């Protein structure tokens, strides 16, 4: 019911409360457009692709086919990253997708210097669109993890933050059709155990971080032990796990550097 109201609002540009309270007449054109959107929703298309908008920590992001829809649990990733970020600090958001984490940090931390990277060409275009719409002072670069960054930034980064792909290939059949049939697969899957991209972030971040800097990443709710081991093996210390609102392990933070452990 609430979704139908959101679609009504998307079509008319008015609040459904206003329409109901003042018994406003809806034009035939709007009725036809609403019927079309309801049919798309019934066939499984994500609501946010239909409205073209997703909310994230108080900002509105443009989304559509080709980009991952930001999720509420990732709001906690941004929060933990900001808590780890010193005044005037430099943060790199890897795998930025729509730009959710980078652009929300820009909205909340005017002191921060923010650079984001994204490999998917379509997702990169969505991130750029959002950066322009929000007039955000964020640099968004297209490419693989750290590859597009200026090498002179090595050793200067305070926080590397990321919500990377972390679903294991074998988990594909457990994902709802709304996700697997519509969202880009390179946003979801990362090898046999889902940790391929997280392992690369752990291996490559040390070169970019300041001593005492942090990596903050989102992970699957069953991956905390494996992720802790991944970071400890790459010489990180103080691996800390934060939970989402449903009390599931979701966010790992690790400090550079720690002691290297035998692998
Ligand atoms: C789970 S989505 C997260 C998007 C966004 N950070 C968010 O939280 O909404 C993962 C993103 O990583 C991108 N990606 C996957 N592999 C990458 C790589 N090697 N380098 C950069 N981006 C990558 C995907 O295209 C996708 O946009």
């Amino acid at each position: 019911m609430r979704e139908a109201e959101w679609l009504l609002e998307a079509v008319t540009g008015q609040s459904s409360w206003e329409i109901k309270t003042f018994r406003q007449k809806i034009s035939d054109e709007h009725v036809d457009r609403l019927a079309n959107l309801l049919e798309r929703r019934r066939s499984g298309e994500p609501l946010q692709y239909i409205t073209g908008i997703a909310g994230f920590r108080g900002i509105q992001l443009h989304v559509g086919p080709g980009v991952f829809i930001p999720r509420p649990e990732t709001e906690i990733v941004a929060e933990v990253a900001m808590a780890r970020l010193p005044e005037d600090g430099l943060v790199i958001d890897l795998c930025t997708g729509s730009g959710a984490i980078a652009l929300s940090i820009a909205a909340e931390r005017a002191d921060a210097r923010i650079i984001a990277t994204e490999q998917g060409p379509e997702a990169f275009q969505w991130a750029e669109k959002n950066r322009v719409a929000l007039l955000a002072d964020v640099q968004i670069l297209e490419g693989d993890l750290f590859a597009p960054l200026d090498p002179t930034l090595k050793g200067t980064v305070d926080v590397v933050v990321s919500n990377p792909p972390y679903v294991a290939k074998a988990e594909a059949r457990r994902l709802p059709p709304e996700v697997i049939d519509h969202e880009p697969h390179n946003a979801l899957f990362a090898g046999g155990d889902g940790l391929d991209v997280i392992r690369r972030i752990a291996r490559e971040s040390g070169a970019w971080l300041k001593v005492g800097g942090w990596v903050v990443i989102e992970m699957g709710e069953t991956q905390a032990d494996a992720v802790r081991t991944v970071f400890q093996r790459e010489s990180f210390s103080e691996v800390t796990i934060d939970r989402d609102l449903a009390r599931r392990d979701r966010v790992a933070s690790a400090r550079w550097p720690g002691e290297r452990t035998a692998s």
Side-chain angles (χ1 to χ4, degrees), residues 19 61 70 105:
I19 293 168
L61 297 160
I105 295 175

Side-chain angles (χ1 to χ4, degrees), residues 194-212:
L195 296 175
D196 281 5
V197 179
I198 289 178
R199 265 191 290 269
R200 283 194 53 209
I201 292 173
R203 199 178 315 128
E204 296 174 30
S205 290
W208 298 88
L209 285 168
K210 280 181 185 164
V211 170

Side-chain angles (χ1 to χ4, degrees), residues 90 146 149-157 204 206-210:
L90 169 60
F146 294 97
L149 297 178
D150 180 343
T152 62
L153 293 176
K154 283 188 177 175
T156 71
V157 177
E204 296 174 30
W208 298 88
L209 285 168
K210 280 181 185 164

